[in-house]
């Protein structure tokens, strides 16, 4: 019975750790699907479960001198603190979808794709084939003055957004392009920048 309880706690610590790591990797994709507001209960459940198992692991360590569940929890905390999960996902997204985003940019430059959203003359709703290239509804923003094209990676409210900017002349976006207040402008490749407005 005692051995079964120890194995059960180790199993729960592994499950809670896997959930935290998966959530850290995929939280921005989930936010795009279910919105920030519905993510609050998801974060609460996953991190609440993890904290509960961590407390149980500490108690188990102090009472039974069984260290494995606590070691799993500590390893997860270290991974969560020191691995840039969001950056890894952004790098993968950029590399995996760069060619398709360049196809879209070429269509915009040729005039095949034009602004097509009635309430905003700089928004382009992408065709179904390309909708996954821009978060928050599959729309991109075209800046008519600079010819920059913004593909959202996160589309928050007001000026809270981030994304990949295609710059046809490889000119660096300014701090206030796209009506943002960019805290981050980083060159990714020729003609490509990452911008973040928080």
């Amino acid at each position: 019975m005692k051995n079964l309880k120890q194995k059960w706690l180790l199993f729960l610590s592994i499950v809670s750790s896997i959930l935290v790591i998966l959530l850290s990797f995929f939280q921005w994709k989930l936010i795009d699907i279910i919105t920030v507001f519905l993510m609050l209960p998801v974060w609460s459940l996953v991190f609440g479960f993890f904290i509960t198992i961590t407390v149980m692991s500490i108690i188990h360590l102090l009472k039974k001198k069984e260290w494995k569940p606590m070691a799993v929890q500590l390893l997860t905390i270290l991974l969560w603190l020191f691995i840039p999960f969001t950056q890894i996902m952004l790098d993968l997204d950029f590399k995996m979808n760069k060619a398709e985003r360049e196809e879209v940019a070429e269509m915009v430059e040729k005039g095949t794709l034009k602004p097509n959203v009635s309430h905003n003359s700089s928004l382009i709703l992408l065709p179904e084939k390309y909708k996954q290239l821009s978060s928050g509804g599959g729309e991109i923003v075209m800046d008519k003055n600079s010819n920059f094209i913004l593909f959202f990676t996160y589309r928050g409210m007001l000026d809270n957004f981030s994304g990949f900017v295609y710059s046809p002349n490889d000119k660096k976006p300014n701090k206030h392009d796209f009506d943002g207040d960019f805290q981050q402008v980083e060159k990714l490749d020729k003609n490509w920048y990452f911008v973040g407005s928080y």
Side-chain angles (χ1 to χ4, degrees):
M1 187 72 178
K2 178 185 166 187
N3 201 20
L4 185 64
K5 190 177 179 183
Q6 288 174 353
K7 285 182 179 177
W8 186 242
L9 184 60
L10 180 60
F11 172 75
L12 288 177
S13 68
I14 291 168
V15 169
S16 71
S17 296
I18 288 170
L19 287 174
V20 166
I21 299 300
L22 286 174
L23 184 63
S24 298
F25 261 121
F26 298 109
Q27 69 180 335
W28 296 109
K29 289 290 180 195
L30 286 171
I31 287 170
D32 190 37
I33 296 166
I34 66 173
T35 75
V36 173
F37 302 110
L38 294 177
M39 272 302 287
L40 292 174
V42 174
W43 283 318
S44 299
L45 284 171
V46 170
F47 285 104
F49 179 50
F50 182 81
I51 290 166
T52 302
I53 298 302
T54 302
V55 169
M56 290 171 66
S57 298
I58 291 169
I59 292 167
H60 193 69
L61 175 65
L62 295 173
K63 282 186 174 179
K64 310 286 185 194
K65 308 293 185 217
E66 176 58 39
W67 56 270
K68 288 178 187 170
M70 192 61 218
V72 171
Q73 300 305 92
L74 280 174
L75 179 63
T76 304
I77 291 167
L78 291 172
L79 290 173
W80 187 74
L81 288 173
F82 294 108
I83 292 184
F85 293 105
T86 300
Q87 191 58 51
I88 291 168
M89 290 307 291
L90 284 172
D91 290 345
L92 281 171
D93 181 0
F94 178 71
K95 288 173 183 162
M96 289 171 57
N97 295 304
K98 183 182 173 208
E100 280 190 296
R101 286 191 177 106
E102 286 178 341
E103 284 176 30
V104 168
E106 189 177 331
M107 287 190 276
V108 172
E109 287 177 322
K110 287 181 176 176
T112 313
L113 268 180
K114 296 178 182 176
N116 56 8
V117 177
S118 60
H119 66 273
N120 188 327
S121 63
S122 60
L123 279 179
I124 299 172
L125 179 62
L126 293 173
E128 201 60 44
K129 176 185 176 186
Y130 297 108
K131 277 193 176 181
Q132 81 286 355
L133 300 177
S134 190
S135 296
E139 294 173 334
I140 59 173
V141 184
M142 186 180 128
D143 187 302
K144 291 173 184 167
N145 298 325
S146 61
N147 292 326
F148 291 150
I149 301 166
L150 171 67
F151 295 82
F152 292 104
T153 54
Y154 171 68
R155 191 171 182 180
M157 290 182 260
L158 304 173
D159 63 348
N160 186 5
F161 62 90
S162 62
F164 301 118
V165 172
Y166 176 77
S167 171
N169 301 317
D170 205 20
K171 181 183 164 197
K172 184 178 179 178
N174 293 318
K175 183 176 172 71
H176 298 294
D177 282 329
F178 301 104
D179 295 322
D181 182 18
F182 296 139
Q183 307 302 311
Q184 184 180 2
V185 178
E186 179 187 333
K187 188 172 176 72
L188 299 174
D189 204 345
K190 186 176 185 226
N191 302 106
W192 286 101
Y193 292 84
F194 177 79
V195 295
S197 179
Y198 315 110

